[in-house]
Amino acid sequence: MMLARAAGDFYWMGRYFERAEHTARLLDYHLAHLVDTPADVLARGWQLLYAALAQPPPISPTETGDAEAFLVPDAFALAAHLIEDTENPDAIIQSWTKARDNAKQLRPWLPVRVWTCLNDGFLWLRDCDFTEYWAQGPNRLPAGVVDRLRHLSGVVEARMSRDNAWRFLELGRFVERLQLQTALLRAWSNPSNKNSQVWAGLLEVCAAYEAYCRTCSMVIQPRQALAFLIANPEVSRSLSFATRSVQVLLSDIDPAGGRYPRRAPHRRALRLAGAIETNLHASAEIADTQEFLGDFAEECRTLHDLIIAEYIDYPLEQGLPS
Amino acid sequence: MFHDDRTLRTVAERLGTALNNATPEQLMQLQDGVRRQFLHEGITFTVIGKEEVTEQIIPIDCVPRVLTASEWDHIDQGLRQRLRAINLFLKDIYHEGWSLRDGIVPYELVLGCPQYRMEMLGTKVPHDIYVSVCGTDIVRTRDGFAVLEDNLRVPSGVSYMLACRAAIKQAMPRLYRAHNVREVLPYPGQLYSQLASLVTWTQSPRIAVLTPGRYNSAYYEHAFLAGEMGAELVEGRDLVVHDGLVYMRTVTGLKKVDVIYRRVDDDFLDPVTFRNDSLLGVPGLFHAYRVGNVVIANAPGTGVADDKALYAYVPDLIRYFLSEEPILSNVETYLCRTTEGLTYTLENLDKLVVKEVGGSGGYGMLVGPHASAKEKKDFAERLRTDPSNFISQPTLALSRAPCFIDGKVVPRHVDVRPFVLQGRKETWIAPGGLCRVALRQGSLVVNSSQGGGCKDLWVINEEERNS
């Protein structure tokens, strides 16, 4: 038995952690390549990065139409904005704080080790000196965040029972991953984005570079890379993998909901899987894929709403014992 | 820990010697370790300021306080007796009212108390147990142990007692083992059993801890207790009353709840019956309670017995209901509602501690010997305006215990809050308690909100001490 509010808290905690890790991975990659990347590619990278995070940048090149604007502020300020700026609701520290706030309400359900790992990570991030880390290497801090989140994932894997608490946590992670990855692919799938180094970066960020080289080619083809990150079920950050995970988790949470007549979230997850299949066979141009990703993002948002309405914030009459 | 002549008591010899032999650096390390443990585990309380909500760890002192088993057994017997009398008194005032008719307690004191609930009149309380969880503050004076106040509404602090014990066990395992200390850790299991024993309609009741939410200062404790008991931690919005039954909202529909261990004040329990602006409560909860479909612990309306003015009558209640002499005495108390009490208080303001009858947390009180002339003048004005809202007590020579503060072991005033659990057939008292310390030099106020801290309390069987 799982309290609906607690399920909601687990779900959101999963989402916040995925969000923090996603931002940290993007930053880790981007900051690690500050040294040997031409300035214009770097500026383009910041643009893509902010577009992928669907966050308004602290400077607004989109408003001015001035791509060069990203060359003016230094990387330090932008990284600080994404990591530790308490005014930025999507900064990593904010995601971690919100996840910890949720975890505080979940103490009765959380194994002690999971809580202490999460709490220690939070205290580390809150108290760390960003400038000092930067001096050691610009990507040291986001890389540290990624490491700590992976450590936390490991503790969760090892300590949590595979009950509904764990399932909702994972469900949150994968729904968030679907939305973030869709936004990321959408940002990259701009037809003007033809620089193979930038595409290699995308594969790297998605932990799929080696797999791509092994499976497809050492030469990065934008269309092929995009298809790879959408439809390859073996890549953990592909849309296909995340969709399949959501389907499995929903079936485990509510086995009856997966049988005919299927409940709304199950139907929507099935639709997402179908859409990926269709797109795979359509061998679309990048511009078409961008349109597909726009529709897909909308479907993901609906999936989230349906999960909340079905399991967390349902009308009372729906829950009364028959 | 020490006799009057500053020699170590036998029970504290081993601990005292160990502390004497430790260097300040070692003690500092010990203290840091205990504090880090609290921080690591997130054992915090919430402080709501004007602009922001901050989270603080409760200051913890690494030097345990020690009591002998015989001293504790005396407290234990006294607390059992006190709780029996209080439960009988509460049943009486909400039913026949004999103690009022016989003039043991003045009518106006009970009926005029803001915590008195008319709604409870005639309500059948499961097994007549109004108070299932009680935290009574006890001080030691030159005359022995005395009760300072009873906390009967939502007594808090038990999680700090358990956390202190866990941290001290980790920090000084050998010393702890050598002392054969009585164990307090079964508290959550006992709490579960005692609450479950109040239910008659099922063998496996579903228990929920009702919390106001994470912004409540004691939220950590609510979550901790729910987790340790294996109960659900619910907020008002998680519960719903339908057809006189209480349900909680789960991912697989609504499930019936049998016991609510509420950590929400009466006023906010049910907006239909009590305060209609409450967002923390559950509409219809009191109706479900009245018809006997759910147990609420502690019962609504118990606060009338922890009013500071009524406290003065508890020894008389023990004599009246149990025909016994009180085992634990009260601190001498002057009721400002009486002319004599008010006159005496006003004339001796510089020697007395004056408290609001419904106050808690160390707020709304005046410690005469430490107050400025202006504070005393202002308080005298308040006393004259609303005398029935105050009581006064002599400033006690509270016992002191050694504490490690700023690199030195120094004496500080302490009290102890033992926790008593009352089930259908059994009373269980944790052999220990939340030992609160006034960390500021000379201060008598031990509340955490007023600069107080806590330390572990060891109840040691002298004769059974490990060699």
Short mmCIF file of all heavy atoms in Angstrom, two decimals, chain B residues 401-422:
data_model
loop_
_atom_site.label_atom_id
_atom_site.label_comp_id
_atom_site.label_asym_id
_atom_site.label_seq_id
_atom_site.Cartn_x
_atom_site.Cartn_y
_atom_site.Cartn_z
N ALA B 401 24.32 19.53 35.53
CA ALA B 401 25.07 18.37 35.06
C ALA B 401 26.26 18.88 34.25
O ALA B 401 26.18 19.98 33.67
CB ALA B 401 24.19 17.49 34.19
N PRO B 402 27.36 18.13 34.23
CA PRO B 402 28.51 18.59 33.46
C PRO B 402 28.23 18.58 31.96
O PRO B 402 27.64 17.62 31.45
CB PRO B 402 29.61 17.60 33.81
CG PRO B 402 29.00 16.53 34.62
CD PRO B 402 27.58 16.86 34.91
N CYS B 403 28.62 19.65 31.30
CA CYS B 403 28.44 19.74 29.84
C CYS B 403 29.77 20.18 29.23
O CYS B 403 30.52 20.92 29.87
CB CYS B 403 27.40 20.78 29.48
SG CYS B 403 25.78 20.41 30.15
N PHE B 404 30.01 19.77 28.00
CA PHE B 404 31.24 20.17 27.31
C PHE B 404 30.91 21.36 26.42
O PHE B 404 30.27 21.22 25.38
CB PHE B 404 31.80 19.00 26.50
CG PHE B 404 33.12 19.31 25.87
CD1 PHE B 404 34.26 19.45 26.65
CD2 PHE B 404 33.23 19.47 24.50
CE1 PHE B 404 35.48 19.74 26.06
CE2 PHE B 404 34.44 19.76 23.91
CZ PHE B 404 35.57 19.89 24.69
N ILE B 405 31.34 22.54 26.87
CA ILE B 405 31.00 23.77 26.13
C ILE B 405 32.28 24.59 25.93
O ILE B 405 33.01 24.84 26.89
CB ILE B 405 29.94 24.59 26.89
CG1 ILE B 405 28.63 23.78 26.95
CG2 ILE B 405 29.69 25.94 26.23
CD1 ILE B 405 27.58 24.38 27.84
N ASP B 406 32.51 25.01 24.70
CA ASP B 406 33.68 25.83 24.35
C ASP B 406 34.98 25.23 24.88
O ASP B 406 35.81 25.92 25.50
CB ASP B 406 33.51 27.26 24.89
CG ASP B 406 32.35 27.97 24.23
OD1 ASP B 406 32.02 27.58 23.09
OD2 ASP B 406 31.76 28.88 24.85
N GLY B 407 35.14 23.94 24.72
CA GLY B 407 36.39 23.30 25.08
C GLY B 407 36.57 22.99 26.56
O GLY B 407 37.63 22.54 26.98
N LYS B 408 35.55 23.26 27.37
CA LYS B 408 35.68 22.98 28.81
C LYS B 408 34.45 22.23 29.31
O LYS B 408 33.35 22.38 28.76
CB LYS B 408 35.77 24.31 29.58
CG LYS B 408 37.11 24.99 29.48
CD LYS B 408 37.15 26.25 30.31
CE LYS B 408 36.27 27.32 29.71
NZ LYS B 408 36.38 28.63 30.29
N VAL B 409 34.67 21.44 30.36
CA VAL B 409 33.52 20.79 31.00
C VAL B 409 33.03 21.72 32.09
O VAL B 409 33.75 22.06 33.02
CB VAL B 409 33.92 19.41 31.58
CG1 VAL B 409 32.72 18.76 32.27
CG2 VAL B 409 34.44 18.50 30.48
N VAL B 410 31.77 22.17 31.93
CA VAL B 410 31.21 23.15 32.86
C VAL B 410 29.81 22.71 33.28
O VAL B 410 29.14 21.97 32.55
CB VAL B 410 31.12 24.55 32.19
CG1 VAL B 410 32.49 25.16 32.01
CG2 VAL B 410 30.39 24.46 30.86
N PRO B 411 29.35 23.16 34.47
CA PRO B 411 28.01 22.74 34.90
C PRO B 411 26.92 23.60 34.26
O PRO B 411 27.09 24.80 34.09
CB PRO B 411 28.05 22.97 36.42
CG PRO B 411 29.09 24.02 36.63
CD PRO B 411 30.06 23.95 35.50
N ARG B 412 25.82 22.94 33.89
CA ARG B 412 24.67 23.65 33.34
C ARG B 412 23.39 23.03 33.92
O ARG B 412 23.35 21.85 34.22
CB ARG B 412 24.63 23.52 31.81
CG ARG B 412 25.71 24.31 31.09
CD ARG B 412 25.46 25.80 31.16
NE ARG B 412 26.42 26.57 30.40
CZ ARG B 412 27.55 27.10 30.88
NH1 ARG B 412 27.88 26.90 32.15
NH2 ARG B 412 28.34 27.81 30.12
N HIS B 413 22.35 23.88 34.01
CA HIS B 413 21.08 23.39 34.56
C HIS B 413 20.39 22.43 33.58
O HIS B 413 20.43 22.66 32.37
CB HIS B 413 20.15 24.56 34.86
CG HIS B 413 20.66 25.43 35.97
ND1 HIS B 413 20.73 24.99 37.26
CD2 HIS B 413 21.15 26.69 35.98
CE1 HIS B 413 21.24 25.95 38.03
NE2 HIS B 413 21.51 27.00 37.27
N VAL B 414 19.75 21.42 34.14
CA VAL B 414 19.10 20.40 33.29
C VAL B 414 17.72 20.05 33.83
O VAL B 414 17.44 20.24 35.01
CB VAL B 414 19.93 19.10 33.23
CG1 VAL B 414 21.19 19.26 32.43
CG2 VAL B 414 20.24 18.56 34.62
N ASP B 415 16.89 19.55 32.95
CA ASP B 415 15.68 18.86 33.41
C ASP B 415 15.55 17.60 32.57
O ASP B 415 16.43 17.30 31.75
CB ASP B 415 14.42 19.77 33.31
CG ASP B 415 13.84 19.87 31.91
OD1 ASP B 415 14.48 19.37 30.95
OD2 ASP B 415 12.76 20.45 31.75
N VAL B 416 14.48 16.85 32.77
CA VAL B 416 14.31 15.65 31.95
C VAL B 416 12.83 15.49 31.63
O VAL B 416 11.97 15.80 32.46
CB VAL B 416 14.87 14.39 32.66
CG1 VAL B 416 14.20 14.15 34.00
CG2 VAL B 416 14.73 13.16 31.79
N ARG B 417 12.58 15.08 30.40
CA ARG B 417 11.20 14.80 29.98
C ARG B 417 11.06 13.31 29.67
O ARG B 417 11.39 12.88 28.56
CB ARG B 417 10.82 15.65 28.77
CG ARG B 417 9.42 15.35 28.25
CD ARG B 417 9.05 16.21 27.07
NE ARG B 417 8.87 17.61 27.46
CZ ARG B 417 8.58 18.58 26.60
NH1 ARG B 417 8.46 18.31 25.32
NH2 ARG B 417 8.43 19.81 27.02
N PRO B 418 10.59 12.52 30.62
CA PRO B 418 10.36 11.11 30.31
C PRO B 418 9.05 10.97 29.52
O PRO B 418 8.17 11.82 29.64
CB PRO B 418 10.19 10.45 31.68
CG PRO B 418 10.48 11.50 32.69
CD PRO B 418 10.31 12.81 32.03
N PHE B 419 8.96 9.91 28.74
CA PHE B 419 7.77 9.70 27.92
C PHE B 419 7.02 8.47 28.41
O PHE B 419 7.60 7.38 28.53
CB PHE B 419 8.16 9.56 26.44
CG PHE B 419 8.68 10.85 25.89
CD1 PHE B 419 10.03 11.14 25.94
CD2 PHE B 419 7.82 11.80 25.37
CE1 PHE B 419 10.53 12.34 25.47
CE2 PHE B 419 8.30 13.02 24.91
CZ PHE B 419 9.66 13.29 24.95
N VAL B 420 5.74 8.67 28.66
CA VAL B 420 4.89 7.61 29.21
C VAL B 420 3.88 7.20 28.14
O VAL B 420 3.25 8.06 27.53
CB VAL B 420 4.12 8.12 30.45
CG1 VAL B 420 3.44 6.96 31.17
CG2 VAL B 420 5.03 8.87 31.39
N LEU B 421 3.75 5.89 27.93
CA LEU B 421 2.79 5.39 26.95
C LEU B 421 1.72 4.58 27.68
O LEU B 421 2.04 3.71 28.49
CB LEU B 421 3.49 4.48 25.93
CG LEU B 421 4.62 5.12 25.13
CD1 LEU B 421 5.31 4.09 24.25
CD2 LEU B 421 4.07 6.25 24.28
N GLN B 422 0.48 4.89 27.37
CA GLN B 422 -0.62 4.21 28.04
C GLN B 422 -1.43 3.43 27.01
O GLN B 422 -2.01 4.00 26.10
CB GLN B 422 -1.52 5.25 28.73
CG GLN B 422 -2.69 4.65 29.48
CD GLN B 422 -2.24 3.81 30.66
OE1 GLN B 422 -1.56 4.28 31.56
NE2 GLN B 422 -2.60 2.51 30.65
#
